[in-house]
Amino acid sequence: MTDHRQDRVLIFDTTLRDGEQSPGATMSHSEKLEIAALLDEMGVDIIEAGFPIASEGDFQAVSEIAQNAKNATICGLARANLGDIDRAWEAVKHAPQGRIHTFIGTSPLHRDITALDMDGMVARIHDTVAHARNLCDDVQWSPMDATRTEHDFLCRVVETAIKAGATTINIPDTVGYTYPRESAELIAMLLERVPGADAITFATHCHNDLGMATANALAAVEAGARQVECTINGLGERAGNTALEEVVMALRVRGDILPYATGIDTTKIMGLSRMVAAVSGFPVQFNKAVVGKNAFAHESGIHQDGMLKNKETFEIMRPEDIGLAATNLVMGKHSGRAALRAKLSELGYELGDNQLKDVFVRFKALADRKKEIYDDDLIALMAEASLADEDAYLQIRRLRVICGTDGPQEAELTLSIGGDEKFVDATGDGPVDATFNAVKMLHPHDARLELYQVHAVTEGTDAQATVTVRLALDGVVYSGQSSDTDTVVASAKAYVNALNRLVLHRNRGNLSALMSSAG
Ligand code: KIV
Ligand code: ZN
């Protein structure tokens, strides 16, 4: 008899937890809600929505995502203590299906930090998992740094967690250290040696420090893991996590050797990738697998010739499979709402009526300033729309810049700061410098400007400029991005955007420190 469970791999997305933990990638409340809704719509099985104990903001985001969930299970992370677990449950309990994910570092290095010996750790795991299971039927447990934990001890703690009621056991390669064969052998070893292992789901959670996260995750699946933990664009601390789009497309393209299905609607991948890049401030590298700008670009003569004769010569997946449709239709001032909706849908953005209304206003404003609107203009416009946050701490109300050959340049700026409007008139060496000085006078801070970059979205003097600003404070980098036909306006918005991220991050404390004190 066929065991259908064997054929299905669950996709567990942790963009909003492990992804957001990436220094500088802090997302606002409304951004998290929007991403969660898209993940749910795309068919992600489990969304790890955050770490509820980390801050009031994290708690609110997880509970609102839980209340809005349609199909996905909503999961909250908790360290191995009763307070964390209770808080995670409070946040996810209103989801149609909620999950508590609790973890503790089990490798020798982590046991030292938590000051627990092996017996003490086993007792802690038993008590915390049992407590979680009393609250919730769906409990996931992770031995953090599993790939550097002694095998005998790993078997012992996994068995303890299963006996205490864990329904999913996640095996994290926390520092991106493992190798595909080893990743497979670890899952196979646990399935063979741990009593009760065949009754629960094994998950794989890989980091990409050596560029092997996707390979390690797929190897674990071949060995019996049936849940892959991943993030959109591979977002995550250091070199990031396993990229959702890579795992899902590898399973789809190589179904011949990886006969496992996911529930993902792959045509939503591109829209989510762009959205996550915009709100996290982490742009996707051009040659990134699946979602990079060049992933489907065929520049060389030989490739173009082959592509014209038969696309399969150089293409193993079709752009439309990931929601990327190549069209040459140029939009303009006279394009209507229906045309905009159709065009955005081709580009991978599915908008509800209210969203479309908002985007249409922005589109018209852009079309008034720019005659021809290309795909890249619309992508920039959508990124801009997803960054518009009415609750942002700093918001530009008005900016007027005076330029001329007989400087200094002058910027008059009205900024809303936590709801209070403030005005200043500043000068500087050029319009951007004057504007940044004005922002700094109204909102003094010690962050250092690490990068200021401008690139034209399309050609022509009326092209939109996309400006990226990177600020650094105490070793953490905060990125901001914005596009506008006026380079100075785009610069001001990108700067304010990076500062908003800094404010959000400062308000919620140091997540990495919380994680390493996992006890
Ligand atoms: O990488 C890791 O170990 C984690 C755990 C919390 C699962 O993110
Ligand atoms: Zn992780």
Side-chain angles (χ1 to χ4, degrees):
M1 204 173 81
T2 316
D3 177 1
H4 291 289
R5 213 175 62 108
Q6 300 286 304
D7 305 333
R8 177 75 157 81
V9 169
L10 300 173
I11 297 296
F12 175 108
D13 182 277
T14 182
T15 306
L16 298 175
R17 198 280 296 170
D18 218 345
E20 204 229 5
Q21 215 163 295
S22 180
T26 314
M27 301 171 197
S28 73
H29 185 82
S30 57
E31 289 166 349
K32 287 183 188 176
L33 258 53
E34 210 169 322
I35 289 176
L38 291 174
L39 290 169
D40 199 351
E41 208 180 295
M42 178 164 81
V44 161
D45 298 284
I46 305 111
I47 298 172
E48 188 164 51
F51 193 2
I53 197 81
S55 71
E56 185 53 32
D58 281 62
F59 177 83
Q60 291 301 342
V62 180
S63 34
E64 216 169 309
I65 289 169
Q67 285 162 45
N68 294 343
K70 295 203 167 67
N71 300 308
T73 294
I74 305 302
C75 175
L77 184 70
R79 291 167 299 180
N81 67 66
L82 306 190
D84 272 37
I85 292 170
D86 289 344
R87 194 79 175 139
W89 174 237
E90 276 304 307
V92 301
K93 72 179 181 195
H94 296 299
Q97 300 156 91
R99 174 180 292 191
I100 299 173
H101 175 193
T102 178
F103 73 100
I104 193 163
T106 52
S107 64
L109 284 164
H110 284 274
R111 293 202 301 271
D112 270 359
I113 294 174
T114 43
L116 287 170
D117 63 10
M118 288 180 171
D119 290 343
M121 185 161 282
V122 167
R124 172 78 72 91
I125 292 163
H126 179 274
D127 293 351
T128 48
V129 174
H131 180 72
R133 186 57 202 267
N134 276 335
L135 298 170
C136 179
D137 282 344
D138 189 345
V139 174
Q140 171 166 330
W141 180 74
S142 297
M144 184 162 74
D145 209 12
T147 54
R148 294 191 300 168
T149 299
E150 307 89 322
H151 284 194
D152 286 349
F153 187 58
L154 189 62
C155 287
R156 188 175 165 206
V157 288
V158 168
E159 183 180 349
T160 303
I162 294 174
K163 283 198 173 130
T167 44
T168 300
I169 300 288
N170 175 40
I171 301 300
D173 181 29
T174 306
V175 290
Y177 174 74
T178 201
Y179 171 79
R181 190 177 63 227
E182 198 180 37
S183 171
E185 284 170 1
L186 193 60
I187 297 290
M189 185 275 294
L190 290 166
L191 274 165
E192 192 184 311
R193 286 183 52 187
V194 177
D198 53 351
I200 55 96
T201 302
F202 272 102
T204 174
H205 175 111
C206 301
H207 282 265
N208 204 30
D209 299 65
L210 292 172
M212 293 190 282
T214 299
N216 288 333
L218 293 172
V221 168
E222 284 200 276
R226 287 294 175 270
Q227 176 178 304
V228 175
E229 307 212 351
C230 44
T231 60
I232 301 288
N233 298 339
L235 187 68
E237 265 189 291
R238 310 183 309 278
N241 290 57
T242 303
L244 179 147
E245 63 277 8
E246 292 176 14
V247 168
V248 168
M249 291 313 287
L251 291 176
R252 182 175 159 139
V253 173
R254 297 311 313 269
D256 54 334
I257 53 166
L258 294 162
Y260 313 102
T262 71
I264 299 294
D265 172 358
T266 60
T267 63
K268 310 270 189 230
I269 285 178
M270 209 54 220
L272 254 155
S273 166
R274 289 186 184 125
M275 167 93 183
V276 168
V279 304
S280 66
F282 278 56
V284 175
Q285 80 192 50
F286 279 17
N287 58 341
K288 162 86 180 62
V290 185
V291 292
K293 199 176 164 69
N294 291 353
F296 292 92
H298 299 273
E299 291 276 353
S300 89
I302 297 176
H303 282 212
Q304 283 180 349
D305 185 48
M307 287 290 290
L308 288 173
K309 289 181 180 137
N310 179 353
K311 286 192 173 181
E312 281 177 23
T313 39
F314 290 104
E315 218 168 64
I316 56 166
M317 30 186 176
R318 296 171 309 161
E320 51 270 36
D321 294 342
I322 59 154
L324 190 66
T327 69
N328 293 319
L329 184 66
V330 180
M331 306 283 289
K333 187 174 175 144
H334 301 296
S335 307
R337 207 178 288 210
L340 180 66
R341 190 200 285 272
K343 181 74 187 178
L344 287 173
S345 164
E346 280 171 10
L347 291 173
Y349 303 97
E350 298 299 340
L351 304 190
D353 288 346
N354 282 343
Q355 245 180 327
L356 181 68
K357 219 160 122 189
D358 171 49
V359 170
F360 191 64
V361 172
R362 291 167 185 273
F363 167 74
K364 282 288 176 193
L366 179 62
D368 277 343
R369 284 177 285 148
K370 192 172 185 300
K371 225 169 92 202
E372 292 176 315
I373 311 254
Y374 298 95
D375 289 1
D376 283 342
D377 284 316
L378 290 175
I379 292 166
L381 184 127
M382 288 306 294
E384 207 50 32
S386 60
L387 289 170
D389 182 1
E390 281 160 21
D391 300 327
Y393 183 67
L394 301 171
Q395 298 183 32
I396 295 172
R397 291 280 180 252
R398 185 169 175 274
L399 173 65
R400 187 162 169 270
V401 178
I402 302 152
C403 294
T405 49
D406 52 351
Q409 278 67 34
E410 207 178 321
E412 296 171 3
L413 175 71
T414 308
L415 206 56
S416 160
I417 306 177
D420 291 339
E421 290 206 357
K422 300 215 167 112
F423 171 84
V424 79
D425 187 346
T427 55
D429 282 333
V432 175
D433 192 48
T435 304
F436 283 20
N437 286 343
V439 173
K440 200 163 177 182
M441 281 165 76
L442 289 177
H443 178 70
H445 60 83
D446 295 325
R448 206 180 58 253
L449 181 68
E450 287 221 320
L451 175 91
Y452 169 73
Q453 198 175 62
V454 185
H455 87 258
V457 173
T458 56
E459 281 151 26
T461 49
D462 66 348
Q464 290 193 87
T466 294
V467 175
T468 306
V469 165
R470 215 175 283 155
L471 301 174
L473 184 62
D474 298 337
V476 181
V477 174
Y478 305 90
S479 298
Q481 212 181 58
S482 187
S483 305
D484 199 282
T485 48
D486 184 322
T487 310
V488 182
V489 172
S491 304
K493 288 196 290 187
Y495 187 40
V496 163
N497 195 242
L499 283 173
N500 276 326
R501 246 178 252 287
L502 187 154
V503 171
L504 266 175
H505 186 248
R506 295 251 132 183
N507 284 346
R508 74 202 292 232
N510 185 341
L511 273 184
S512 294
L514 265 187
M515 296 285 292
S516 55
S517 66

